[in-house]
Amino acid sequence: MTIRKTLSTAIRALRRNVTRSALTVLGIVIGIAAVIAMMEIGKGSSGSIAKTIASMGANNLLIFPGTAATGGVSFGGGSSLTLTAEDCDAILRECSSIASAAPLVRARPQLIYQDKNWVPTFVYGSTPAYLTVRDWSQLADGDIFTDADVRNASRVCVVGQTLVRELFGGVNPVGKEIRVKNVAFTVVGVLSPKGANAFGMDQDDILLAPWTTIKYRVSGNSGSTTSTSNSSTSTSSANSADSTFPGAAAVFPAQSSTQAADAPMPVRFANVDQVIMSATSGDQIKSAIREVTSLLRERHRLQKGEPDDFSIRDMTESANALASTTNMMTNLLLAVALISLVVGGVGIMNIMLVSVTERTREIGLRMAVGARSRDILRQFLTEATLLCLIGGLLGLALGRGSALMVQKFLRWPIESSVEAIIASIVVSAVVGIVFGFYPAWKASRLDPIEALRYE
Amino acid sequence: MTDVLVKLKDIRRTFRMGEISVHVLRGISLEIERGAYIALTGSSGSGKTTLMNLLGCLDRPTSGEYWLDGLEVSRMSSDARAMIRNKKIGFVFQNFNLLPRTTALEQVMMPLAYTATGLSERNAKKRAVELLKMVGLGERMDHRPSQLSGGQQQRVAIARALINQPPILFADEPTGNLDSRTTAEILEMFDRLNRTEGITIILVTHDPTVAGHARRNIRLRDGMVESDTIREGPPPTLPSHGEPAPDPERQVA
């Protein structure tokens, strides 16, 4: 019996009892619809959860300079001077799992505007990429400073919402001039509100300026307000290198003549306090750490066996929360899907068994006119599989439809998933074969003589 | 001597019912030549249905040889017998055994689904239409069993039995559910098929008037051939004894 004949026989048999076929299919329709809708809604929710957690910094990686030590005396974390803005550029250029990276220079100066003064929690020198890394690109007003500003160490800055309130009394500060340790800065933008971070620190209490400006115009002036890990002052540079002759000689690898010719820059301390990066996605964090480590070891010319002169930290806690949330969601959905499919499958088996009993005479007749038992088996199996496939397709449409309705009316995020669609079709076919097999086998074992006499 | 289509050699069939063995057929030997028209009669329990099932390759004898059209079928596998049934045997049943909610045309074409060397869809359809016209249902090809009378249903069943041009046609009480007028029609059709198409027909029946249409009457008793007579002269007119066959529930379109 050819496949085409089997199919047309099965279709004809199903069409003979449309109502029953439709009711049988209903179980699978609901099962698959539930799977698809759950998958789409679930994926949408877990996607938005992942995004929320990511905006809290789950994808972020921090590089801190390592420890410098002289004669067994360690100077604590961040005392090494080897991490530079060029490292940051190189990471962005060469590490494929890093989406963006920005160098960071910290300071804690006093700000003065007219008759008010304020010491913000964060005074960061960085590049425009900082906002990309922190998922903070949407500014409330004005613009972020440019890369050219960073090169020129321009005296421009963007400020957070708390500063607007405390220093400017709620007046739009764009275009105003503030003094940072007696250096006049023009405010070019206002950051959107970000709220407190995981430790309750006000993230809006921030002034962001080009790192070159902070480093050379603000921190460089006096060591009194720089943080301990900001090591650009002469005191800490003395720690790291030669104690007799404080200087940069040991810190920086000698430039080749070509390099010197290419970049005739005055030698100055170009180290940064940290580099903040974001991985392309949560599961790329491990490989990002690997890539960055090997790149920095190469750039810092560390020999094999020599310890890293930097340390990389990820937000393991948030990342784990993200992973476990997503996993739990997926498992929950899988369980629901499985149960509804099994229920649908049992329904199919039930109806097929009834159908075999009801059609005993037909089976006997088919055997009498020359159907082999394998033809009967194939026919009933085809019928069950066909029912499940039709159910799967209808369920697919219903599931997609209800997911779209949920999106439209409840405004829940949904995310269509090709895998779920393929899987549900395959699963419904498998359900048909698995649950259709027993009835089909039973039909094929009938004795034609008895089947023909069955009342 | 015409060539032999069916040859039975000491056929025995024993059913085991728990501890007891029931000997239903106890050594039957027969020869049926091509083109014969045979009535298989006997009281209930005489084994005629069992013999019919054996002849129709639905069952296998416990012992003995069965040659059908030159093939020993008693030792064949069930798949091989299914093929024999498909190609060489047509069945007509007392209760018609039509598929519910299926058009007459599809009923007739159904056995072709199990034929290995299938006709093309067009040729199959053409052949089914011809057969339906031959049995006088040319106008009712799209009718379902519920829209056909008993006699019409049986005629669909006959057309279905003939779709693969089998040399032999088995009819198990083919008129048992029909009234006397339709019985006469169906029997005439068997007569005609036997006469003009040369199809061997084996009727299993209780009814002596039906049996009277056959040219040879094999009578069974207790699993053995009691008598094997060949009728001379024309068939008796039907129904002669005024007692009508049990009236079936006639379903009218």
Side-chain angles (χ1 to χ4, degrees), chain A residues 63-217:
Chain A
I63 310 176
F64 290 97
T67 308
T70 305
V73 180
S74 163
F75 299 103
S79 50
S80 148
L81 293 180
T82 46
L83 195 64
T84 63
E86 285 75 37
D87 286 339
C88 177
D89 294 339
I91 286 167
L92 206 50
R93 211 167 43 236
E94 290 178 31
C95 299
S96 57
S97 42
I98 295 294
S100 50
L104 213 60
V105 173
R106 287 189 299 259
R108 198 165 163 75
Q110 188 188 46
L111 313 185
I112 298 167
Y113 174 69
Q114 292 174 353
D115 57 345
K116 294 203 180 88
N117 71 82
W118 183 255
V119 179
T121 318
F122 307 104
V123 173
Y124 280 167
S126 188
T127 60
Y130 177 77
L131 294 185
T132 318
V133 175
R134 294 297 314 276
D135 196 11
W136 206 356
S137 300
Q138 199 65 45
L139 263 66
D141 205 348
D143 265 316
I144 183 68
F145 50 83
T146 62
D147 286 317
D149 291 329
V150 177
R151 274 196 301 279
N152 302 336
S154 308
R155 288 179 297 243
V156 288
C157 65
V158 294
V159 295
Q161 294 289 339
T162 307
L163 279 181
V164 175
R165 199 175 59 241
E166 298 293 341
L167 209 53
F168 299 95
V171 179
N172 186 354
V174 173
K176 304 268 165 44
E177 210 165 70
I178 55 174
R179 279 185 295 140
V180 182
K181 275 183 66 189
N182 293 328
V183 181
F185 276 71
T186 309
V187 178
V188 294
V190 180
L191 296 166
S192 54
K194 185 92 168 167
N197 68 7
F199 313 105
M201 287 162 93
D202 181 8
Q203 297 179 91
D204 293 325
D205 192 8
I206 186 172
L207 180 137
L208 194 64
W211 70 270
T212 44
T213 319
I214 297 292
K215 187 163 185 70
Y216 301 121
R217 296 192 196 276

Side-chain angles (χ1 to χ4, degrees), chain A residues 240-259:
Chain A
S240 63
D242 188 67
S243 53
T244 323
F245 300 103
V251 176
F252 291 98
Q255 274 187 325
S256 73
S257 55
T258 328
Q259 281 174 318

Side-chain angles (χ1 to χ4, degrees), chain B residues 84-97:
Chain B
I84 296 277
R85 289 198 296 270
N86 186 244
K87 297 293 286 181
K88 296 200 187 290
I89 296 170
F91 283 103
V92 176
F93 304 95
Q94 178 174 5
N95 47 23
F96 322 134
N97 270 328

Side-chain angles (χ1 to χ4, degrees), chain A residues 1-2 4-5 9 12 16-17 361-362 365-376 379 447-449 452-453 455, chain B residues 49 53 58-59 79 82-83 85-86 91 93 95 97-102 106 110-115 118 121 160 172:
Chain A
M1 204 174 176
T2 62
R4 216 168 58 91
K5 276 181 183 165
T9 307
R12 230 171 267 161
R16 279 212 320 259
N17 209 331
R361 284 255 293 276
E362 176 192 330
L365 171 74
R366 285 182 183 278
M367 285 177 158
V369 301
R372 295 163 298 179
S373 50
R374 83 177 85 133
D375 292 327
I376 300 292
Q379 185 193 335
D447 174 14
I449 297 167
L452 277 169
R453 293 170 166 274
E455 291 299 327
Chain B
T49 306
N53 287 338
L58 290 167
D59 198 5
D79 281 0
M83 214 163 77
R85 289 198 296 270
N86 186 244
F91 283 103
F93 304 95
N95 47 23
N97 270 328
L98 297 183
L99 301 178
R101 298 188 204 90
T102 306
E106 283 173 357
M110 190 266 277
L112 290 174
Y114 305 106
T115 308
E121 188 76 12
R160 179 182 63 197
D172 188 359

